[in-house]
Amino acid sequence: MKVKPLDWHGPYKPGQNDILYDHVIAETPLGRISISWKSWKDYPSYCSHDYPEFMPFVSGQSLEEVKNLIQQDFNEIIMSMIEDD
């Protein structure tokens, strides 16, 4: 079984969706996941924000890197929920 890829929306500017930094959002049945960054910095770091509490915090050097890491974590969580013992 394959988990459907997260559907990211944005980027949004700071202040939209109650998030203080630039960000993208994926709405899931388990809650909203977002990635935020400070675009005004020379080297913005990208990190998970508004993450459901059962998922680990993720950070990285590019938006695509963090999206991929979040997708991997999300896939593992979904698969663990449906696996038979």
Side-chain angles (χ1 to χ4, degrees):
M1 176 179 223
K2 189 173 181 179
V3 177
K4 182 180 174 185
L6 295 169
D7 184 20
W8 294 99
H9 298 274
Y12 299 105
K13 293 292 179 192
Q16 290 180 288
N17 307 303
D18 298 321
I19 299 175
L20 300 176
Y21 307 113
D22 295 271
H23 59 285
V24 293
I25 293 175
E27 295 289 349
T28 78
L30 303 177
R32 177 169 80 169
I33 300 172
S34 63
I35 301 169
S36 62
W37 65 95
K38 297 174 183 173
S39 63
W40 59 89
K41 290 192 168 194
D42 290 336
Y43 302 101
S45 66
Y46 299 80
C47 62
S48 56
H49 182 83
D50 265 346
Y51 227 36
E53 63 185 51
F54 54 84
M55 292 184 73
F57 175 80
V58 176
S59 66
Q61 297 303 310
S62 76
L63 183 57
E64 286 307 311
E65 176 189 10
V66 175
K67 282 181 180 180
N68 289 331
L69 292 170
I70 289 172
Q71 185 70 57
Q72 289 172 15
D73 289 342
F74 190 76
N75 292 355
E76 289 176 17
I77 289 167
I78 296 300
M79 293 307 291
S80 73
M81 295 171 110
I82 60 174
E83 285 179 350
D84 291 330
D85 289 331

